[in-house]
Amino acid sequence: MKALAAGIGVVFLSPILIAGTGMMLASSADAVQSSGSFSNCLTDIDTDKVAEQVTKILDGASGKNVRIKGLDLPAEQVPNAQTIVAAGLSLDVPTKGQIVALATAMQESQLRNLNYGDRDSLGLFQQRPSQGWGSAQQIRDPVYASEQFYKHLLKVDGWQQMTVTQAAQAVQKSGLPDAYAQWENLATALQDAIAKTFPGGGNDADGKDADQGKQPSTSTTGCAPGQDGSGFGRIPEGSVPKGYAIPKNADPKARKAIEWAMHQLGTLYQWAGSCTNSHGPDPMGRCDCSSLMQQAYAHVGVTLTRTTYTQVNEGKAVSPAHLKPGDLIFSRGSAARPEHVGMYMGEGLVIEAPRTTKPVRITPIKDWTILAARRVL
């Protein structure tokens, strides 16, 4: 994200110097700050209008003709808001927590991924490396910064009973503890609009469980000894196990789909990410479990739907005892409504995008409790 000159976006309130040096102090050098009387709070937000404009941005509009009250640079700010909401959804943070996070980022950085701030503050939430939030590089990653904010928020006792500004202040320890209140209405409208753009209207369970698909297996996979992936030993995350090769008898399209998926190894998971540019700078271009399957097969001309809930109905059902390379396998939840999907690679291995903070990786099928398997070729 490009750095923007100080003074941009101070339409509503005039900046003042920040005081206080609390543990979580996180205030931007040019974040919108108030004198303490919040007479300029954004109280007349048109939620439907916000949703309309947010959709334009997320559909690729330049932002030149997009108007969202309170956001001066929507083409930059809305995608950052989307990342914050996506991180919250992936961590099962309640809606209120996502609103708290958005309001905090609006106050601290105006939803910009700043490379500067008060003292060593950086990023969307103006978190400080010197105060234990992570390295400067980590804090500049919007996904990491969002996850760190949520992790701190969830540790606050009784935060759900607090007002938005109280909850934000409990995390940030700002010199202006009431400053977050002014953004609550806009944050609420943004959260509502953005959540609806995700698969399942923000209710998709793709990737929400702490260790998707990695329960001790209680069901048979039909793999003979040595064909359950155990023979490869420990597989470093993001790597191809030594000695693995796509089986020669694999369907040509399955082979190409597996090869494409393997090119995503090591890229970080992003809940609701499109998997269209997993190596790029935009977190939403990264993969979640079902988008990895969708895009791998899209590259061989096979169209799959977007979520695990729908992919489990693609193609035809096959027995876990008779898997072929390229088959989709599903775990967690139920057979009718699974919450995780991976692609069988042959040789007892599965490629998957596992969960938040984890990279696309290869795992042994012995670690999977298979609820359903589908052949899409």
Side-chain angles (χ1 to χ4, degrees):
M1 287 289 194
K2 61 190 178 191
L4 299 174
I8 292 179
V10 291
V11 172
F12 301 100
L13 303 161
S14 59
I16 66 172
L17 295 177
I18 299 171
T21 58
M23 169 66 182
M24 302 298 181
L25 182 61
S27 296
S28 164
D30 67 345
V32 175
Q33 301 291 356
S34 164
S35 62
S37 67
F38 293 94
S39 58
N40 290 323
C41 290
L42 303 173
T43 57
D44 57 343
I45 298 297
D46 184 333
T47 301
D48 291 337
K49 184 66 173 179
V50 170
E52 176 187 335
Q53 300 301 301
V54 164
T55 300
K56 288 181 180 179
I57 291 292
L58 297 182
D59 283 345
S62 67
K64 292 181 179 179
N65 297 316
V66 174
R67 300 289 182 267
I68 301 176
K69 187 173 183 179
L71 300 183
D72 295 327
L73 300 165
E76 178 180 357
Q77 293 162 312
V78 169
N80 286 332
Q82 182 189 43
T83 297
I84 292 170
V85 172
L89 291 168
S90 73
L91 294 173
D92 280 332
V93 177
T95 297
K96 182 175 180 179
Q98 297 167 40
I99 293 170
V100 172
L102 288 169
T104 301
M106 289 177 197
Q107 172 62 22
E108 301 296 353
S109 70
Q110 289 194 337
L111 281 173
R112 291 169 295 151
N113 192 19
L114 299 176
N115 64 358
Y116 61 92
D118 178 60
R119 283 164 282 191
D120 59 340
S121 300
L122 296 167
L124 290 173
F125 297 91
Q126 289 291 279
Q127 295 156 337
R128 298 179 60 189
S130 65
Q131 298 295 342
W133 286 94
S135 67
Q137 182 178 6
Q138 287 175 319
I139 290 171
R140 290 294 314 289
D141 181 334
V143 176
Y144 174 89
S146 299
E147 290 169 357
Q148 287 299 306
F149 178 86
Y150 286 126
K151 288 176 181 178
H152 282 80
L153 175 65
L154 295 175
K155 291 179 181 178
V156 175
D157 187 35
W159 71 269
Q160 292 197 64
Q161 285 71 53
M162 297 178 182
T163 65
V164 167
T165 195
Q166 288 171 339
Q169 173 63 5
V171 175
Q172 299 294 97
K173 300 294 190 292
S174 169
L176 291 171
D178 298 321
Y180 307 101
Q182 61 192 313
W183 304 107
E184 181 174 350
N185 291 333
L186 179 55
T188 300
L190 282 175
Q191 191 283 331
D192 182 68
I194 291 170
K196 290 177 180 177
T197 68
F198 289 122
N203 295 317
D204 191 316
D206 224 3
K208 289 187 179 179
D209 285 294
D211 218 357
Q212 298 167 32
K214 298 299 166 284
Q215 300 170 327
S217 180
T218 58
S219 63
T220 178
T221 65
C223 294
Q227 291 296 305
D228 62 356
S230 59
F232 291 100
R234 180 182 175 277
I235 304 171
E237 288 189 335
S239 68
V240 178
K242 185 178 180 180
Y244 169 78
I246 301 174
K248 293 181 179 180
N249 63 349
D251 182 285
K253 287 188 175 181
R255 175 182 294 276
K256 291 181 180 179
I258 293 170
E259 289 175 347
W260 189 90
M262 289 172 66
H263 282 295
Q264 317 315 311
L265 284 169
T267 61
L268 283 178
Y269 174 99
Q270 173 60 52
W271 187 84
S274 66
C275 202
T276 53
N277 188 14
S278 66
H279 295 275
D282 182 2
M284 297 311 296
R286 300 172 187 168
C287 308
D288 67 10
C289 65
S290 56
S291 66
L292 178 63
M293 305 298 106
Q294 182 187 50
Q295 292 302 315
Y297 269 109
H299 282 76
V300 297
V302 177
T303 300
L304 298 181
T305 51
R306 177 61 181 84
T307 72
T308 56
Y309 301 151
T310 53
Q311 287 178 1
V312 75
N313 298 313
E314 301 277 6
K316 64 180 180 180
V318 294
S319 168
H322 300 99
L323 294 174
K324 292 183 178 181
D327 287 347
L328 305 185
I329 62 173
F330 299 84
S331 67
R332 299 195 68 87
S334 66
R337 194 172 174 79
E339 297 174 355
H340 188 53
V341 61
M343 183 184 296
Y344 184 60
M345 303 172 64
E347 303 297 327
L349 298 176
V350 182
I351 189 166
E352 61 164 352
R355 59 183 174 91
T356 302
T357 76
K358 293 291 186 178
V360 174
R361 64 188 182 184
I362 295 172
T363 53
I365 200 170
K366 70 180 180 63
D367 290 345
W368 285 67
T369 297
I370 301 178
L371 299 174
R374 307 291 294 190
R375 186 162 297 151
V376 297
L377 293 175

